[in-house]
Amino acid sequence: IAGITQAPTSQILAAGRRMTLRCTQDMRHNAMYWYRQDLGLGLRLIHYSNTAGTTGKGEVPDGYSVSRANTDDFPLTLASAVPSQTSVYFCASKETGGNTEAFFGQGTRLTVV
Amino acid sequence: GQQVMQIPQYQHVQEGEDFTTYCNSSTTLSNIQWYKQRPGGHPVFLIQLVKSGEVKKQKRLTFQFGEAKKNSSLHITATQTTDVGTYFCAGLPDTSYGKLTFGQGTILTVHP
């Protein structure tokens, strides 16, 4: 079934540890996004990529990095996790041209202790 | 940078009452999209508005795009318990490339 997959589903992480959240899509979408969702703050854009090989910063990029080596994968890395990064993380993808919808993964619930 | 503000943050209604959420952008948008997130789920696309002043309907849901293409609204007539969830608007500053920026969302609770 075509779609977008995130892994892991949930994770408890010790502060200071490095963690990579995985995101893979098989729809051949050019644009991919990482959001974090916190109560009262909605979906905040962390990083995005308009096409393979390019990335850009969203509104809350500090403490996170991304790469886009190919069309399908868009991993998000926390170099040294802090408790304020406890959140639900959503990956999304969409076509860049025209008026197209974004498809979201199921989310990763991350707790940093 | 582009900001998308959404109000109210929370809305509690009795089943059968109407509900409206409003979305305002600091910049002119090429289009605006609406998404619904059920409790424990992920955002799912509802609709997209492109034209100035556009109005679209999906059964009991009515979506409007402002004349200046900087604001939008979602109105639900006669809410049902199946309407519960968080409703997000999302704006794109241009048609090709850009950051898909979401509003803070409105959490709707429907009491039976």
Side-chain angles (χ1 to χ4, degrees), chain B residues 20-106:
Chain B
T20 304
T21 175
Y22 301 90
C23 185
N24 289 286
S25 171
S26 59
T27 59
T28 301
L29 301 170
S30 173
N31 61 62
I32 195 157
Q33 299 178 347
W34 285 92
Y35 292 77
K36 177 183 179 179
Q37 182 181 26
R38 296 184 184 276
H42 60 281
V44 175
F45 176 81
L46 291 176
I47 208 164
Q48 177 171 264
L49 303 171
V50 179
K51 300 176 182 177
S52 171
E54 187 171 15
V55 178
K56 286 188 176 181
K57 292 190 176 184
Q58 287 181 348
K59 298 182 180 178
R60 294 177 294 104
L61 279 62
T62 301
F63 304 83
Q64 293 186 326
F65 200 9
E67 294 291 340
K69 301 185 74 173
K70 295 180 71 173
N71 58 76
S72 180
S73 65
L74 158 59
H75 179 82
I76 302 178
T77 302
T79 55
Q80 300 175 358
T81 55
T82 54
D83 294 326
V84 297
T86 303
Y87 292 85
F88 291 98
C89 62
L92 268 172
D94 55 58
T95 57
S96 56
Y97 292 95
K99 306 174 187 179
L100 184 59
T101 302
F102 282 77
Q104 297 91 332
T106 295

Side-chain angles (χ1 to χ4, degrees), chain A residues 24-92:
Chain A
T24 299
Q25 53 102 0
D26 61 3
M27 298 174 282
R28 308 303 292 171
H29 287 165
N30 283 318
M32 297 188 74
Y33 308 85
W34 272 107
Y35 296 90
R36 59 176 291 173
Q37 184 173 26
D38 305 286
L39 190 63
L41 298 176
L43 292 163
R44 291 184 293 169
L45 182 64
I46 305 171
H47 285 286
Y48 67 99
S49 171
N50 286 323
T51 189
T54 67
T55 62
K57 294 182 179 180
E59 58 183 301
V60 289
D62 294 343
Y64 306 95
S65 64
V66 292
S67 62
R68 188 84 185 278
N70 57 63
T71 298
D72 298 344
D73 301 300
F74 191 43
L76 176 73
T77 297
L78 288 68
S80 179
V82 295
S84 62
Q85 292 178 309
T86 293
S87 186
V88 179
Y89 291 85
F90 286 102
C91 180

